[in-house]
Amino acid sequence: MSDQNRSADDGQSRSVEEGQNRSAGSGSEGLRYLLVLSRPRFWLYLAGPVAVGVTYGIDAVSGLFTPVTVALACYFLVPANVFLYGVNDVFDADIDELNPKKEGREARWRGSRPVVAAVVASGALGLATLAITPRVAWPYLLGFLVLAVGYSAPPLRFKTTPFLDSLSNGLYALPGAAAYATVAGTHPPLAALAGAWLWTMGMHTFSAIPDIEPDRAAGIDTTATLLGEGRTYGYCFAAWTAAAVGFWLVDPRLGALLGVYPLFVAWVARSSISVDRAYWWFPALNTVVGTLLSMGGLWRVYPLWEALP
């Protein structure tokens, strides 16, 4: 390719990128970009734990839908995801240029002032939840906000340190702990919190397997790049098995339900299924498990037989 043609192509690429940046911050196109940025397929990863926490924290059905529980659910459904993934995309803009996942279901960072303002406002809205929740819930809410930033942003940037990247993803368990503490007025059982934290560690590390090659190409160190695909499957199996044990200590039925995860990762590791494909099945699996967990919590206060005619 001649220098003249290369310069023309570079100029065209810059023009396209500038046009995308302008559209990302304007009107309906800007809203659409924010929607993609917030990862709709993963919304329930934060909002789902709120539902589980509420159902196990209440002592009567009347406590299920209150202004506070609805506000927490709404925040963790969309704004919290805008904040979490917005911060992630800001500081991963260069890395994501090499990531094929950003070509379809996800979008590369096209930051503009309105988009940055929306991300900052979503974080501020998280701080506002402190005004409507009891003090016992504050450590979990603040912990979520701190880890959401620290995972991606310097100087901590946990996502570039093997094992700390996995450990810091306990942030996904914190909305559920905050919701439980809000309605119950006390901290959640330690075994349940540990089990949920271990579950998120397995989830994060499994989701990092498709990123092994792009992360290595970008010079990013993660648990998955350190261990390699085979041993990462083993790490996920161990984390999810420990999570199931934690929930078993709370209630054996919960432990049995969480046992589906080590079985799943063992099946993926031993089958011909591509991990890139299996990765996109997880929202459905988590929705089913989360629904069953929530139903179990509801049946504590409103037994199934009372709902039958």
Side-chain angles (χ1 to χ4, degrees):
M1 180 183 293
S2 69
D3 291 343
Q4 183 177 3
N5 289 340
R6 185 180 296 109
S7 297
D9 287 345
D10 290 345
Q12 183 178 11
S13 297
R14 283 194 297 271
S15 297
V16 170
E17 183 176 354
E18 289 170 0
Q20 288 176 335
N21 287 343
R22 286 194 298 271
S23 66
S26 61
S28 61
E29 195 61 35
L31 291 175
R32 182 180 180 278
Y33 172 70
L34 279 175
L35 184 69
V36 175
L37 175 146
S38 68
R39 319 286 204 273
R41 286 177 176 81
F42 304 144
W43 280 359
L44 291 181
Y45 284 9
L46 293 178
V50 172
V52 173
V54 169
T55 57
Y56 282 91
I58 59 176
D59 55 12
V61 176
S62 59
L64 190 60
F65 296 105
T66 68
V68 175
T69 61
V70 171
L72 286 175
C74 289
Y75 174 71
F76 283 106
L77 183 65
V78 180
N81 282 288
V82 171
F83 179 62
L84 175 63
Y85 294 114
V87 173
N88 178 83
D89 287 0
V90 167
F91 293 100
D92 276 7
D94 293 340
I95 300 169
D96 287 342
E97 289 298 323
L98 304 173
N99 193 335
K101 283 197 315 188
K102 298 296 180 178
E103 295 174 359
R105 294 180 174 94
E106 298 179 10
R108 291 183 171 88
W109 175 252
R110 289 185 281 153
S112 62
R113 287 182 180 178
V115 171
V116 172
V119 173
V120 172
S122 296
L125 195 58
L127 286 173
T129 61
L130 300 178
I132 62 171
T133 52
R135 289 180 180 271
V136 68
W138 290 3
Y140 306 111
L141 294 168
L142 291 172
F144 168 79
L145 296 171
V146 169
L147 290 176
V149 174
Y151 176 73
S152 300
L156 298 177
R157 198 158 164 76
F158 294 126
K159 69 180 301 175
T160 62
T161 304
F163 302 112
L164 281 181
D165 60 340
S166 175
L167 184 64
S168 63
N169 261 254
L171 67 91
Y172 285 95
L174 294 178
Y180 180 97
T182 294
V183 297
T186 187
H187 296 287
L190 183 59
L193 186 58
W197 203 288
L198 286 161
W199 174 82
T200 65
M201 290 171 61
M203 274 296 305
H204 166 267
T205 309
F206 184 87
S207 70
I209 296 175
D211 295 335
I212 287 177
E213 293 308 320
D215 283 345
R216 284 176 173 169
I220 299 299
D221 294 323
T222 68
T223 302
T225 63
L226 176 67
L227 297 179
E229 184 171 336
R231 287 187 292 180
T232 300
Y233 284 131
Y235 178 91
C236 295
F237 181 87
W240 278 330
T241 299
V245 170
F247 279 99
W248 182 279
L249 295 175
V250 178
D251 188 314
R253 292 168 293 185
L254 300 180
L257 179 59
L258 269 290
V260 69
Y261 288 98
L263 293 178
F264 181 85
V265 72
W267 172 66
V268 172
R270 297 177 63 87
S271 72
S272 59
I273 299 295
S274 167
V275 68
D276 299 78
R277 183 181 179 190
Y279 167 77
W280 293 107
W281 295 344
F282 260 82
L285 175 60
N286 291 335
T287 298
V288 171
V289 172
T291 299
L292 292 175
L293 282 172
S294 296
M295 292 302 295
L298 284 174
W299 290 338
R300 290 183 314 105
V301 294
Y302 192 69
L304 177 62
W305 53 87
E306 292 186 9
L308 297 175

